[in-house]
Amino acid sequence: MTIRTDAAYADELDADDPLAHFRERFVVTDPDLIYLDGNSLGRLPAATATRADELVRREWGDRLIRGWNEGWFVAPEQVGAKIARLIGARPDEVIVADSTSVNLFKLVVAALRAQDRRMRILTDDLNFPSDIYVLQGAIDLLGQGHELEIVPSPDGIYGPAADLRARLDERTALVTLSHTAFKSGYVYDMAELTAAAHASGALALWDLSHSVGAVPVDLNGANADLAIGCTYKYLNGGPGAPAFLYIRRDLQERLQNPITGWMGQKDLFQLALNYQPAAGLRRFLTGTPSIVSLLLVEPGVDLLLEAGMTRVRAKSMRQSEYLIGLWEALLAPLGFTLNSPRDAHRRGSHISLGHVEGLRIDLALINDLNVLPDFRTPDNIRLGIAPLYTSFRDIHTVVMRLRRIVEERLYEKYSGAAPVVT
Ligand SMILES: Cc1ncc(COP(=O)(O)O)c(C=O)c1O
């Protein structure tokens, strides 16, 4: 994509953008704030604010306990069925529950138990650290001597796809990877790696946290076994909103939830004293769902379904190419590096820019220039593009502000001490 670096060009691109009007469907209280952190916490959809009021005042305030029979009980499956449409799954293959980390734990333990004589788990060092901790905890809990192999990325940007394929063998129980890597934004070829895993008899489990609502995912097309993901990023579900899990239909009756609780029990209101798993995905529920947060996931999912993932991806690619073009022309000469894949097809919807003064520049952006990106060690300023509300002008402005911070050395007033949440 050949670009111009003037602001008028950004405005031309916005004028030409078929999704531009979706920005009005979000609550924007500070029009001057450039928000590029939708890959961590999505913006608040206006419909969510309305729904929250109705949910709390009418469904909870007025309907009280009757709410369970008026939609709450089936909400994990109903919201899951909508998310399924974004990730190429059947409606009964996705359910909303717990956090991403807890869902990963449930699926990993279930998968390892189903693969009883295979003792190896493969992942990579681009995976989200919580996922690695969960794997370590699951291995420890099972106490059967499973080994975790963390295959290194060749450059910290691209995933070690060929190396992973080469290491798959008859000892491998499970391959688990972030489909889109949280730091570099690298995207694995899900179909290819899942097929390679299956050829060796392993199961494939995908973390879709940085993919869902940002890049097209086709779990059924890839014949993926298992997946998990967050709803508070590109789905705009709200802080700490519950996560989702996917289990391919033919595996559901074979796998057992290791955290057995009454919400996963067959005929739960019989209140029998012996656990018997419910049919289908409900067996992967444990305790009472957090209904308020769960139902507030739905309006954000509806917005993405309305926009359509093909159009969302097309805009995300155009915006990422535009940002990379601006980086090349205006930021690379100031010492910024591109820490994301150059190849658009292997890149998600965020771009990481490195700089030796990365953290101090990030602090100046946030505190002095009204831009909210996020920061990931050692030097990555992560710029998240959420096509439903990020404009081309936002991208142009952030690049100009990054230039200013370096040219005027505005970062120098910061010591480099990181805040608790970056
Ligand atoms: C890729 C990825 N996996 C897992 C998690 C953990 O999610 P949770 O805190 O909901 O368990 C995150 C959180 O940001 C993430 O980015």
Side-chain angles (χ1 to χ4, degrees):
M1 175 175 177
T2 14
I3 60 148
R4 295 198 330 254
T5 58
D6 54 302
Y9 181 64
D11 293 341
E12 283 168 32
L13 292 172
D14 280 325
D16 211 26
D17 167 19
L19 298 185
H21 61 97
F22 275 93
R23 188 180 173 98
E24 291 150 28
R25 311 273 293 272
F26 289 85
V27 173
V28 177
T29 53
D30 174 0
D32 294 327
L33 172 76
I34 308 291
Y35 191 65
L36 292 171
D37 210 2
N39 53 315
S40 261
L41 176 66
R43 275 191 182 275
L44 167 64
T48 306
T50 311
R51 180 78 183 97
D53 195 57
E54 182 204 56
L55 183 57
V56 172
R57 288 181 194 282
R58 192 185 67 78
E59 292 191 22
W60 173 16
D62 176 52
R63 300 309 295 157
L64 291 162
I65 195 78
R66 291 170 288 195
W68 285 107
N69 282 325
E70 294 171 2
W72 297 349
F73 188 76
V74 290
E77 291 135 301
Q78 281 191 350
V79 180
K82 283 197 174 176
I83 295 173
R85 290 164 56 195
L86 296 174
I87 53 179
R90 299 175 193 101
D92 59 353
E93 291 178 324
V94 178
I95 199 160
V96 179
D98 305 313
S99 64
T100 305
S101 305
V102 170
N103 286 336
L104 178 64
F105 179 82
K106 292 185 292 191
L107 294 191
V108 165
V109 171
L112 294 180
R113 284 183 169 152
Q115 294 274 64
D116 57 351
R117 282 193 301 281
R118 291 171 173 250
M119 287 293 148
R120 259 168 97 230
I121 306 168
L122 282 181
T123 188
D124 68 5
D125 66 351
L126 301 185
N127 205 349
F128 193 66
S130 182
D131 291 27
I132 309 276
Y133 310 151
V134 166
L135 292 170
Q136 291 164 343
I139 290 172
D140 197 40
L141 177 90
L142 288 170
Q144 291 171 342
H146 286 94
E147 286 166 30
L148 174 63
E149 196 171 342
I150 305 175
V151 182
S153 153
D155 54 4
I157 296 178
Y158 279 77
D163 238 2
L164 282 160
R165 279 197 307 273
R167 281 159 206 260
L168 283 160
D169 63 18
E170 71 293 341
R171 291 170 302 155
T172 315
L174 180 68
V175 185
T176 176
L177 297 162
S178 286
H179 179 235
T180 302
F182 79 101
K183 233 185 247 185
S184 72
Y186 171 80
V187 180
Y188 274 103
D189 183 333
M190 180 186 285
E192 186 194 50
L193 255 166
T194 300
H198 289 173
S200 74
L203 293 168
L205 192 169
W206 294 97
D207 183 336
L208 303 179
S209 297
H210 289 273
S211 296
V212 61
V215 300
V217 177
D218 186 4
L219 288 168
N220 286 163
N223 201 21
D225 303 291
L226 306 162
I228 49 161
C230 298
T231 61
Y232 45 75
K233 302 177 188 292
Y234 297 99
L235 297 189
N236 308 303
F244 63 89
L245 65 85
Y246 153 93
I247 304 179
R248 204 182 56 227
R249 196 183 272 163
D250 60 291
L251 285 174
Q252 291 177 8
E253 304 291 318
R254 268 180 59 201
L255 299 183
Q256 300 300 334
N257 180 357
I259 316 178
T260 48
W262 73 318
M263 286 290 148
Q265 163 79 350
K266 186 177 171 193
D267 302 328
L268 77 161
F269 276 101
Q270 295 297 318
L271 297 170
L273 293 188
N274 284 324
Y275 177 76
Q276 271 194 295
L281 262 198
R282 273 201 88 89
R283 67 180 52 197
F284 273 81
L285 298 182
T286 297
T288 306
S290 36
I291 288 297
V292 174
S293 299
L294 196 162
L295 284 171
L296 294 185
V297 171
E298 197 169 10
V301 174
D302 285 340
L303 281 177
L304 282 157
L305 289 170
E306 185 183 331
M309 281 311 300
T310 307
R311 291 201 301 167
V312 168
R313 175 60 169 168
K315 178 170 173 186
S316 158
M317 282 172 111
R318 244 181 299 125
Q319 292 193 306
S320 311
E321 290 293 295
Y322 175 61
L323 174 51
I324 289 175
L326 291 177
W327 159 77
E328 197 157 39
L330 302 174
L331 297 178
L334 298 179
F336 287 92
T337 54
L338 179 65
N339 292 353
S340 292
R342 200 58 204 254
D343 171 4
H345 295 281
R346 294 268 67 86
R347 193 176 60 229
S349 203
H350 67 267
I351 305 272
S352 282
L353 296 180
H355 194 283
V356 280
E357 294 294 356
L359 179 58
R360 297 207 290 171
I361 294 171
D362 179 73
L363 293 173
L365 268 182
I366 295 169
N367 296 316
D368 302 325
L369 293 182
N370 210 18
V371 176
L372 287 179
D374 65 15
F375 180 80
R376 290 293 175 264
T377 56
D379 66 343
N380 294 288
I381 299 167
R382 222 171 39 158
L383 304 173
I385 290 171
L388 290 188
Y389 52 78
T390 303
S391 65
F392 286 87
R393 188 59 183 262
D394 286 345
I395 293 171
H396 186 267
T397 306
V398 77
V399 169
M400 291 305 155
R401 290 185 189 173
L402 282 167
R403 253 170 89 82
R404 201 180 138 208
I405 289 168
V406 173
E407 283 176 346
E408 297 177 20
R409 307 179 83 82
L410 299 180
Y411 61 85
E412 283 183 347
K413 74 182 208 209
Y414 294 97
S415 71
V420 179
V421 177
T422 59

